[in-house]
Amino acid sequence: MIAQRTGTTALRRVAANPNAVFTSTFAKAAMSQMQTRQATTQKISADEARSILDKQRLNRPVSPHLDIYDKQQTFFGGSIWQRFTGSGFSGGLYVFGAAYLAAPLLGWHLESASLVSAFAALPVAVKGAAKFLVAWPFVFHAFNGVRHLALDLGLFMKRQQIVKGGWYIWGASLVSGLYLAFFL
């Protein structure tokens, strides 16, 4: 719209003051080829405007709710888990950051040496479970983020590829989470 107005203004100036390059006949010919929209308006009362708006609202589509989606779809589950893991990590970062700042005032010991010694005192199974609870969401978020980027580029968009890709992400993230928790 702005480009059309700019062009129209330039052509009107050329028509008013022709020069060697642009003649007035050129400007008039260009103006005759431009698209114009004939619109008429009329004044209406506030009540009439409200009734027109109410009639238009009856024809508008209703926004879909989450209940219409098939919960069995792998891409739906992967997408929501991507949000859950990302929100969990950001929320955890904010909670730990606030606790770390408040620790000196509350007498907590959240410095690295205290955390390492407390974690070292835990049984091996508890350590592995705690590491898995951090490792799995991390690798899932990383792998699924790459999958989302590929889908954004239009790759692997066939239904079978979407389903297989979703299962590959779940499997790879579980295996990688277990590896990081118990072997690293």
Side-chain angles (χ1 to χ4, degrees):
M1 187 67 149
I2 293 173
Q4 185 178 4
R5 286 183 184 170
T6 304
T8 305
T9 304
L11 288 172
R12 285 183 183 150
R13 286 183 183 157
V14 167
N17 278 330
N19 58 28
V21 178
F22 296 108
T23 63
S24 60
T25 55
F26 170 78
K28 288 177 186 173
M31 291 287 285
S32 67
Q33 298 298 319
M34 281 196 141
Q35 263 188 333
T36 58
R37 180 182 297 170
Q38 302 297 326
T40 59
T41 59
Q42 58 183 347
K43 293 209 177 258
I44 58 174
S45 68
D47 292 335
E48 289 174 324
R50 185 71 180 171
S51 69
I52 291 171
L53 185 60
D54 289 340
K55 287 178 187 173
Q56 289 175 348
R57 285 184 179 155
L58 291 175
N59 295 327
R60 291 181 188 165
V62 178
S63 181
H65 191 267
L66 289 177
D67 287 342
I68 70 164
Y69 297 111
D70 183 13
K71 308 301 187 282
Q72 299 294 323
Q73 295 295 327
T74 310
F75 62 88
F76 183 72
S79 181
I80 198 69
W81 276 101
Q82 180 77 3
R83 290 177 176 93
F84 287 159
T85 55
S87 298
F89 278 120
S90 4
L93 177 68
Y94 283 119
V95 167
F96 182 76
Y100 190 79
L101 290 174
L105 300 173
L106 300 173
W108 299 342
H109 295 285
L110 292 179
E111 55 273 351
S112 298
S114 297
L115 293 176
V116 168
S117 63
F119 195 75
L122 296 173
V124 175
V126 175
K127 281 193 246 185
K131 286 168 58 176
F132 180 76
L133 287 175
V134 173
W136 176 79
F138 181 77
V139 293
F140 179 84
H141 193 79
F143 290 164
N144 204 36
V146 172
R147 179 176 173 243
H148 270 280
L149 290 174
L151 291 173
D152 289 343
L153 292 172
L155 305 172
F156 314 115
M157 292 299 286
K158 293 182 181 167
R159 181 172 171 74
Q160 193 64 24
Q161 291 172 328
I162 291 172
V163 171
K164 279 185 179 178
W167 285 113
Y168 291 152
I169 295 298
W170 285 98
S173 66
L174 284 172
V175 169
S176 299
L178 288 170
Y179 175 78
L180 289 173
F182 293 104
F183 297 110
L184 194 62

